[in-house]
Amino acid sequence: MILTQEQQAILDGAKGETLAKVMKTLVMYGDAFEAEKLVPITSKYNHLVTSFGLKVMAPVYDLMQQLLDAGVSSEQKFSVDPRPLDKNVPANILQNFVFNKFMYTKQDFYEKQLKELGLMDENAFTCTCYMDEVGNKPKKGEILSWAESSAVVYANSVLGARCNRNSGIIDIMGSIVGYVPYFGLLTDEGRKATWVVKINTTKKPEAQLLGSAIGMKVMEDVPYVVGLDKWIGTELNDSTCSYLKDFGAATASNGAVGLYHIENLTPEAVELGEKLIAEGAKEYIIDDAELERVQKNYPVIWKNPDAKPKLCFVGCPHLSLQQLKDWTDNIEAELKKNNLKKITMPTVFTAAPKVLEAFEKTEYAARLKATGVITSYICPLMYMNNPLCKKMPVITSSNKLRTYTSAKYYTDGEILNIITGGGK
């Protein structure tokens, strides 16, 4: 790897031993992927994936403390993934005991470290940092050092920023020295599509289901999706961006997609069109039957596959303000149809703290609360990581949550039906 004089000086210890170690880590990371150089990070803010104070993450806390003791702080302020705990989310006494006494015992300590290192503000905990309400929304072409998979794929695809799928801690390393290795999705060649995915469905495909199908097919490759604009339009409005948020999260978790292009919609596809398609690209056709096949093949790992659900999570990744409003309207309409006032099972909608603040200022907030739905800022995945929760029959419309936990997947429409009494 060829370094500039400034980069070499940092590596040689000109700014202290600690920063030299950080630079050495990034150089070794870049060498592993045959990066030719380091390039400057150009975004205003960074985003960290490690937000949870698990007791077993002692090496992370030690590393953070070494940085702080050396007087090092991040070149950029940063947001971070969601908190793992919220007393308002249903949990029994034993689950709470495990959460607070065994799992997340270092949460307060770790959050203090994050604030000292450069956290944007005390409410900057969300996997959807790019929401307008949160304020960490990179611009087209900006270079990032992010690790959160659903945020990386959104930033690359919907916003046109440039970021590799970095690992946790590498994200903060890049932010500290202000550089990242130049390879993969940072390069023009690495952003070309090696798959053409043709959408031949007879109705608008479920975002999470479509993303899952594509992710499992193309894995870490870049897909160029044709025909989806027929169903979601050619304008990146609130509704379309919410759809792409969920779609992208499923491609990233059910596969390892870090970038996708949607014909006539996403920035690079609008600008370059089929020039983005690499020579020899493979083809994948998705119709109604293919989506049905994908959903039917999801494993159900509940102890009793036919158990009655006891909890529902919606919002992984976190819901947008528009989605909270849409869910409110839809739940009220279904409850009225079924002659009910409240939902029939405990249901938690998760969103960024600042999105929830904005939601509380609307008339929708009181309406949603009246239906019995709980809103929270937590990470459902971190909640489900409690070993006691694995025994619970939890349902979700998140393909990410389904992939990483024991939660069972249903489409948004199916979830709506179940929680409003239509599925009884």
Side-chain angles (χ1 to χ4, degrees):
M1 184 183 294
I2 300 173
L3 302 182
T4 65
Q5 281 188 326
E6 179 185 359
Q7 293 163 356
Q8 187 65 51
I10 296 173
L11 183 62
D12 292 339
K15 293 188 178 181
E17 181 183 0
T18 300
L19 277 182
K21 290 180 179 179
V22 173
M23 180 61 82
K24 182 179 179 180
T25 301
L26 285 172
V27 170
M28 292 174 67
Y29 175 51
D31 283 342
F33 289 94
E34 301 181 346
E36 60 187 62
K37 60 183 177 180
L38 296 173
V39 291
I41 295 170
T42 57
S43 59
K44 183 176 181 180
Y45 298 114
N46 190 27
H47 182 78
L48 275 64
V49 71
T50 47
S51 60
F52 37 91
L54 279 170
K55 188 176 182 179
V56 296
M57 287 176 55
V60 171
Y61 313 136
D62 290 344
L63 174 63
M64 294 294 192
Q65 200 57 51
Q66 286 182 48
L67 294 169
L68 293 171
D69 289 345
V72 172
S73 61
S74 174
E75 287 285 314
Q76 306 165 291
K77 295 290 185 179
F78 56 83
S79 51
V80 67
D81 265 17
R83 291 181 169 106
L85 300 175
D86 180 359
K87 59 180 173 44
N88 294 317
V89 175
N92 61 39
I93 294 175
L94 189 54
Q95 288 169 342
N96 276 325
F97 182 75
V98 172
F99 278 136
N100 293 292
K101 299 299 181 182
F102 290 96
M103 292 182 66
Y104 300 115
T105 58
K106 303 291 287 184
Q107 190 66 31
D108 290 343
F109 172 79
Y110 184 45
E111 288 192 21
K112 183 174 182 294
Q113 287 185 319
L114 291 174
K115 290 174 184 176
E116 292 178 12
L117 198 62
L119 186 66
M120 286 171 60
D121 60 70
E122 63 180 3
N123 284 322
F125 286 83
T126 177
C127 52
T128 57
C129 59
Y130 44 80
M131 294 290 178
D132 290 338
E133 294 83 2
V134 181
N136 185 359
K137 188 174 185 177
K139 299 175 182 177
K140 186 175 183 292
E142 287 188 333
I143 305 297
L144 319 179
S145 181
W146 293 7
E148 160 56 43
S149 63
S150 68
V152 166
V153 73
Y154 187 94
N156 275 321
S157 310
V158 182
L159 303 178
R162 298 200 169 199
C163 185
N164 282 312
R165 280 178 55 121
N166 299 305
S167 64
I169 303 305
I170 285 292
D171 51 8
I172 190 64
M173 295 287 186
S175 186
I176 286 170
V177 296
Y179 297 101
V180 285
Y182 184 71
F183 70 94
L185 298 177
L186 269 58
T187 70
D188 289 342
E189 189 64 28
R191 296 178 75 82
K192 286 189 175 181
T194 52
W195 284 86
V196 175
V197 180
K198 296 183 177 179
I199 309 301
N200 289 343
T201 56
T202 61
K203 59 182 179 180
K204 180 180 178 180
E206 189 83 8
Q208 297 268 3
L209 189 54
L210 179 63
S212 170
I214 293 175
M216 289 192 287
K217 188 71 171 181
V218 311
M219 296 307 292
E220 76 278 8
D221 291 342
V222 178
Y224 185 92
V225 183
V226 178
L228 185 58
D229 57 313
K230 171 185 176 182
W231 300 110
I232 64 174
T234 57
E235 180 186 351
L236 289 173
N237 53 33
D238 289 345
S239 178
T240 301
C241 287
S242 295
Y243 182 99
L244 294 178
K245 165 182 69 72
D246 293 339
F247 165 81
T251 68
S253 57
N254 286 206
V257 175
L259 164 68
Y260 59 80
H261 302 293
I262 309 294
E263 187 179 49
N264 300 322
L265 180 60
T266 53
E268 286 163 280
V270 170
E271 179 183 346
L272 299 171
E274 293 185 356
K275 293 178 183 178
L276 287 169
I277 302 173
E279 186 176 347
K282 301 174 186 177
E283 185 177 272
Y284 178 34
I285 297 175
I286 296 180
D287 55 17
D288 298 341
E290 175 64 358
L291 291 180
E292 183 180 357
R293 180 195 67 80
V294 168
Q295 186 174 3
K296 283 185 175 179
N297 279 281
Y298 291 152
V300 179
I301 57 177
W302 292 354
K303 186 175 181 180
N304 175 9
D306 298 319
K308 184 178 180 181
K310 292 186 178 180
L311 181 64
C312 174
F313 273 116
V314 176
C316 179
H318 275 168
L319 295 169
S320 68
L321 180 60
Q322 185 61 50
Q323 285 178 308
L324 286 168
K325 293 177 179 178
D326 290 343
W327 271 102
T328 302
D329 287 335
N330 293 338
I331 288 173
E332 285 180 333
E334 287 300 306
L335 287 175
K336 184 177 180 180
K337 184 191 301 183
N338 296 325
N339 293 314
L340 294 173
K341 295 291 185 182
K342 291 185 177 292
I343 55 174
T344 57
M345 62 177 297
T347 300
V348 181
F349 285 3
T350 59
K354 291 187 177 180
V355 170
L356 291 175
E357 285 180 15
F359 183 62
E360 286 298 323
K361 296 176 183 178
T362 71
E363 49 96 10
Y364 288 87
R367 288 166 50 193
L368 184 63
K369 185 177 181 179
T371 69
V373 170
I374 298 165
T375 56
S376 176
Y377 49 74
I378 68 163
C379 172
L381 199 157
M382 291 298 103
Y383 176 97
M384 290 294 294
N385 271 350
N386 187 323
L388 296 175
C389 293
K390 292 180 180 178
K391 300 178 181 179
M392 292 174 59
V394 176
I395 62 173
T396 184
S397 58
S398 164
N399 239 312
K400 181 174 185 176
L401 192 61
R402 174 199 69 83
T403 302
Y404 295 143
T405 72
S406 60
K408 184 178 180 180
Y409 173 82
Y410 289 96
T411 65
D412 281 348
E414 291 167 338
I415 289 287
L416 179 63
N417 189 48
I418 292 169
I419 67 174
T420 58
K424 58 185 178 181

